Amino acid sequence: YQMSNQEAFDNLDRMVRVTHDWINDLDRALRWNDRARSFRLLLAVLHTLRDTLDVREVADLAAHMPSLLRGIYYERWNPAQQPAKDLSIEGMLECVQTSFGKDLLDDPARATMTVLRLLAQKFAEGENVRDYLPANVRVFWPPSSGDSGSRPH
């Protein structure tokens, strides 16, 4: 099956709309009224997560993302250096905060948790995503509904 020009364009349009929906949802949850800053936060958290996972985990997480975000998630990624970091929660928050340069976040823990909550809501199988995150990050990931919070590993 070969996609027509119109189908390809419609698909691209749909990817952009879905990405905007994610950013708008995050911006509303943060109450920032600054979609560009919310997008920057989403990328900071996604890239920080990406850099703490091994190659398989990076791909597993990406599989749950809309196509356009998936491409941005992989931007400047070097799989030969995975995992690049073994972060504590404090280290994760520091990475997110550092990505904002002089435009510091008032509450990086709340901002990061808001992104993780959004990801847990958006991913169809949120508890599965939680399962393959590093244990120190998994504790920070919101449990899905019906999840007791304890998982055998």
Side-chain angles (χ1 to χ4, degrees), residues 40-53 84-105 108-109 111-112 136-137 140:
R40 187 174 175 190
L41 175 65
L42 178 60
L43 293 185
V45 173
L46 287 174
H47 287 165
T48 300
L49 280 173
R50 177 199 67 196
D51 293 344
T52 66
L53 303 173
K85 302 171 188 142
D86 183 17
L87 293 181
S88 63
I89 292 305
E90 294 77 17
M92 181 179 179
L93 296 177
E94 184 179 326
C95 282
V96 170
Q97 183 72 289
T98 299
S99 72
F100 275 80
K102 293 181 181 182
D103 180 26
L104 295 178
L105 296 167
T112 300
N136 55 340
V137 175
F140 209 42

Side-chain angles (χ1 to χ4, degrees), residues 41-135:
L41 175 65
L42 178 60
L43 293 185
V45 173
L46 287 174
H47 287 165
T48 300
L49 280 173
R50 177 199 67 196
D51 293 344
T52 66
L53 303 173
D54 67 34
V55 173
R56 182 192 59 80
E57 294 164 336
V58 168
D60 286 346
L61 186 61
H64 295 275
M65 293 180 201
S67 300
L68 188 57
L69 277 180
R70 187 178 318 127
I72 295 166
Y73 171 72
Y74 281 121
E75 188 176 0
R76 291 180 289 207
W77 179 55
N78 183 352
Q81 296 179 349
Q82 289 307 109
K85 302 171 188 142
D86 183 17
L87 293 181
S88 63
I89 292 305
E90 294 77 17
M92 181 179 179
L93 296 177
E94 184 179 326
C95 282
V96 170
Q97 183 72 289
T98 299
S99 72
F100 275 80
K102 293 181 181 182
D103 180 26
L104 295 178
L105 296 167
D106 292 334
D107 188 346
R110 180 187 163 282
T112 300
M113 190 65 192
T114 302
V115 172
L116 295 178
R117 238 183 262 114
L118 173 81
L119 296 177
Q121 290 167 359
K122 295 290 185 182
F123 293 164
E125 300 168 345
E127 69 269 19
N128 292 341
V129 172
R130 184 174 182 253
D131 285 348
Y132 59 72
L133 293 172

